[in-house]
Every structure is written in structure tokens, then in C-alpha cells.
Amino acid sequence: MKKKDTTVQRAARVITPALHIYYPINVVSGKGIHVHSSSGQTYMDFSSGLAVLNIGHNHPRVLEAVRNQMLHVIHTGGIYYNETTVAAAEHLVSVTPKGLDMLFFSNSGAEAVEGALKLARHVTGRQGIISFTGGFHGRTLGALSITTSSVRYRENYLPLLPSVYHVPYPYCFRCPFNCESNVCALRCFDYLKETLARVISPEEVAAIIIEPVLGEGGYFPAPHPFILALRELCTRHGIMLIFDEVQSGMGRTGRWFATEYYGVVPDIVTVAKGIASGFPLSAVVSTPELMRRWPEGSHGTTFGGNPVSCAASIATIEVIREEGLLKKSSVIGTAALDRLHELADVHPLVGSVRGFGYMIGVEFVRETGEPNGDACRKVLDYCLKKGLVLIGCGLDRNVIRFIPPLIATEAEVNLALDIMEAGVKTLS
Ligand code: PLP
């Protein structure tokens, strides 16, 4: 009898190869930090479904909220109001940075970024947008125009949006200006100022958009003085400062938003991924003052703010709050960071370890200091064989994203670190 094709084989026939899937595993169920495959294996999912499942897979509170919502109404489509959607907005603005109290719900990170750019252009009446080389903001054409984490995402899609300028991200471990970080004096910021003096007038810039913690581009937090200087510059010139917290938001860094580490408030923040435990939902959040200058009908959506996703979002925020997950994950994350620093001290191929909370980057290097994607790949493969799912990032795919669900306990994080360390030791 002919053997039935596997899910992975069937996928190759009907799902475009343009969509990259990290691992050829067919997942049949997930619970908490674990997923189970059709071949009977259990994995610790420390990818958190690409930084989405901050309270883990299928949290019972999310399931209950979603089931309950489905019994009442699933879709409102911008035709009616719905209590759950309004309550979800109230919940979200209760955790977003101070003063950012009004939002627009959409479905994905890229869509939130599109909304943020449109809001900035609308309220400033300006065209120019500045983003940072290495940043990832999504794959729709507007978001792609400001995405420069890899040319792979951009090639064959030109022309993209006009009036977009890219300046170096302050990725100090690989300083674009070859500075030592302790003598840097913000050369990246000088470059930005020079761009505003030579390339585009600040009076024509609608927005500067940055990931406060670089995600896909390499998991690197921007230095504090850089973000402070950026805030001051934007305020001085009436430029909208957009923080893309699609990846770093919703508790990932041990605070609701990474912006809290910097003590500044952007004009606009984008939120997605961890907002609804896997249900499609995202938001552009800003001040009521700016939002009220975005007139009715100038932006819209059919599915954004879907009541089922919103029910999941409310449950997610409540669980993070009630279980004290920000505090817990930041304490365990700091200990994990210490342990990884010790590993970097003794292992020459671990070049740098950095991050906040459960958003940690482990960068692999060659003896020469060059990015070492091979070493990273080997460690990821080793971990997978041992039942630990981790994913990479960075231009050369030489950085491991250590991003457990916030519910991961100290013992679980230590177990994952044991596996990772053993994987690193196989390199030498
Ligand atoms: N912005 C950031 C910082 C991201 O990390 C991502 C996705 O990884 C996006 C935007 C795009 O989100 P989505 O894939 O939901 O469109």
C-alpha cells in the first residue's frame, strides 16, 4: 500500500516556498512551554512561537475567554461596537507607556507599522521617514521600505516607498563606525544629525522609527544615551518618534514595554505578537491628542479588533499581571544573562550576550571576531535534537534568540541553559 505523504511533504505542494518555516516538525498540540509533534516528540518551545506566546501555548484562561466570546459574537467588522473590543483597548492602554492612551487595532505587526507611519504622516503633514539599518518592521510594502535587516527581504521588490532614509542602528558590539563602545560619543547619533543637515531637512521628516531593542536584526538593545538623544531631537523638530515594540513589547523584556528601561515615552508605539497569545491582533497606540488629529475614515480595517482576539488579549494581560510574570521573568532572565556571561567568558566562540528579561541575544563569532553563523546553526541543531526549540537572528544568523515564554520557571530556564551550554561545548 502506498504510504501517505506527511504533512511537511503535502505543505510543499500547496504552501508557497516563499514562506520560510524554521523546522520540519508537524506540531499537533501545545500546552504551556511545550509543543508535541506528530512523531510523538515533546519540545520545550523557547521560540515562544516567534516571541508571541508570552503566557505559553493554550493557556486555560485564554481558552476560556475565547470560548466564551465565540458563544456570543465572533466578528463585528467595523459595523458595530463590541464590549470586548473596548475592554481590550482599555486593558492595553493601561499597560502602554504613560500618555499613550488611545489606539487603533489591526491584525499583524506589519499592519501596525503601516498604521503608525500613516498616522505620523497625517498629523505632521510631512513625508520623510527615517529608520535604522538592521531594523525589521514587517513585509508589507510600507513596512518593507523601512526594513533593512537583510536584503533578502527587499530584493526584487523595488521601488519601495520614497522619502525613506536609513541610518546606522547603534549596534555597539559591531559598531558601524568601528568605535570602542566606551569612547563612542554617539557616532551613530552624529550620523543621524548629519543626515538631517545634508540629506533631508528635519522640517520634512514625519517620523523616526526604531526598535528600542533590535529584534530580527540581532537582538541588541540600543544604548540608553542614544534613545535619550533621539527623544530630544524628535521633540525639538516636531518629528514623531515611533517605537516599534512588536517584538520587545507585552512583557518580553521583563517590563510591559522596553521603553520603560529608557525612561522616555515615544509619540507612537506599535504592539503585536505577545498581545493576544497567538490570536491575530496588533495596535498602533498614541496620545489622544495625536489620535484625534487622525480624522474619521482616514484609516480602517475589517478584522482589526476582532472580539475573539480581544478576549484573548484581555486574558493575556490579566494573567501576566496576576501571576506577577514581569517581575518573575526579569529576575530569572537576569540570572540567565549572568550565566550566559560566564559562558561567554570561557568560550571564545560566544562573542556577546545581552538583553533584558526573557529577550536575550547570544552572538557567535569566529576567532577573528567575524559573525559565526555555522556555530550558531550547530548549537541550534544540537538543542533541537535535545528537545529544545530556539531560533536565530542577525544578518549572518549568528545570534540565538533566547526567548522563553514568561511562564517558564527557573528550573525550566536552567534546563534550557544546560542544553545550550552543552551545545556550545560541542563546538570546541
Ligand atoms: N516589527 C517588529 C519589530 C517585528 O519583530 C516584526 C515581526 O517579526 C514585525 C514588525 C512584523 O510583524 P508581523 O510578522 O506580525 O507582520
Side-chain angles (χ1 to χ4, degrees):
M1 201 171 59
K2 198 168 167 269
K3 221 171 132 205
K4 206 173 154 231
D5 286 346
T6 64
T7 303
V8 175
Q9 286 164 335
R10 282 168 40 231
R13 287 203 291 271
V14 287
I15 296 179
T16 171
L19 178 71
H20 168 67
I21 303 284
Y22 282 77
Y23 296 116
I25 296 170
N26 176 26
V27 161
V28 290
S29 65
K31 188 156 177 45
I33 68 158
H34 294 108
V35 287
H36 308 283
S37 77
S38 54
S39 58
Q41 261 186 297
T42 295
Y43 297 90
M44 287 168 78
D45 182 3
F46 272 40
S47 74
S48 291
L50 244 183
V52 167
L53 301 162
N54 288 358
I55 60 168
H57 288 266
N58 288 35
H59 194 288
R61 285 276 292 275
V62 171
L63 295 185
E64 189 197 334
V66 162
R67 273 198 205 104
N68 187 38
Q69 182 60 45
M70 287 198 300
L71 294 177
H72 291 90
V73 68
I74 292 174
H75 177 74
T76 48
I79 311 293
Y80 320 105
Y81 285 96
N82 175 260
E83 165 59 29
T84 309
T85 304
V86 176
E90 288 166 347
H91 274 69
L92 184 57
V93 300
S94 76
V95 302
T96 48
K98 198 163 183 290
L100 306 188
D101 292 333
M102 197 177 265
L103 61 77
F104 180 95
F105 274 135
S106 40
N107 305 286
S108 67
E111 233 187 297
V113 166
E114 298 285 342
L117 298 179
K118 287 175 71 179
L119 173 64
R121 279 192 165 172
H122 211 290
V123 297
T124 59
R126 305 172 182 179
Q127 276 204 12
I129 297 160
I130 296 180
S131 70
F132 292 86
T133 311
F136 185 89
H137 301 284
R139 296 161 187 274
T140 51
L141 285 173
L144 186 61
S145 306
I146 55 169
T147 288
T148 49
S149 55
S150 169
V151 83
R152 193 160 43 111
Y153 304 135
R154 296 167 59 91
E155 61 195 353
N156 297 317
Y157 294 123
L158 304 181
L160 296 170
L161 268 192
S163 310
V164 170
Y165 304 88
H166 305 289
V167 295
Y169 192 93
Y171 191 132
C172 304
F173 182 67
R174 299 195 176 280
C175 173
F177 299 99
N178 291 323
C179 295
E180 295 288 329
S181 56
N182 53 350
V183 294
C184 135
L186 296 183
R187 283 291 305 280
C188 294
F189 193 72
D190 290 343
Y191 188 97
L192 168 60
K193 282 198 296 193
E194 198 174 335
T195 302
L196 296 176
R198 292 184 189 274
V199 184
I200 179 167
S201 156
E203 313 309 316
E204 290 182 285
V205 177
I208 298 182
I209 179 163
I210 188 166
E211 292 163 89
V213 181
L214 188 68
E216 160 78 18
Y219 266 47
F220 197 94
H224 196 176
F226 186 89
I227 294 290
L228 294 186
L230 202 55
R231 177 64 279 180
E232 194 279 320
L233 179 126
C234 288
T235 304
R236 185 150 36 93
H237 294 292
I239 297 170
M240 296 294 109
L241 177 59
I242 306 174
F243 277 2
D244 182 349
E245 292 236 32
V246 163
Q247 190 147 176
S248 58
M250 298 308 296
R252 175 56 40 209
T253 63
R255 308 270 173 94
W256 283 110
F257 289 90
T259 172
E260 292 169 44
Y261 283 100
Y262 295 94
V264 302
V265 176
D267 299 295
I268 303 170
V269 68
T270 54
V271 191
K273 289 196 185 281
I275 189 177
S277 291
F279 284 85
L281 188 68
S282 66
V284 185
V285 193
S286 185
T287 62
E289 192 267 325
L290 282 174
M291 280 292 189
R292 290 200 173 103
R293 285 161 54 199
W294 212 13
E296 188 176 342
S298 49
H299 197 42
T301 174
T302 299
F303 293 111
N306 169 275
V308 181
S309 295
C310 284
S313 184
I314 294 170
T316 302
I317 292 174
E318 285 175 354
V319 169
I320 294 176
R321 228 184 225 142
E322 288 165 23
E323 296 185 9
L325 295 180
L326 298 184
K327 181 86 191 296
K328 274 188 203 158
S329 61
S330 83
V331 170
I332 304 170
T334 305
L337 206 55
D338 289 345
R339 210 177 135 179
L340 287 165
H341 277 302
E342 282 165 25
L343 179 68
D345 286 344
V346 296
H347 206 292
L349 300 191
V350 180
S352 159
V353 174
R354 64 268 170 155
F356 301 121
Y358 277 4
M359 185 170 188
I360 296 176
V362 181
E363 178 155 356
F364 290 83
V365 297
R366 299 189 187 282
E367 268 89 11
T368 53
E370 300 295 299
N372 192 341
D374 294 337
C376 185
R377 177 82 263 152
K378 281 183 189 147
V379 177
L380 290 175
D381 289 347
Y382 176 92
C383 292
L384 192 67
K385 280 203 196 96
K386 300 287 175 189
L388 171 65
V389 176
L390 288 166
I391 53 173
C393 64
L395 179 61
D396 300 282
R397 285 293 186 248
N398 66 318
V399 181
I400 288 185
R401 314 186 211 205
F402 192 81
I403 42 173
L406 306 187
I407 52 165
T409 62
E410 190 176 4
E412 288 161 342
V413 167
N414 279 329
L415 176 60
L417 289 173
D418 289 344
I419 296 172
M420 225 173 98
E421 277 177 13
V424 170
K425 283 184 187 140
T426 64
L427 296 174
S428 40

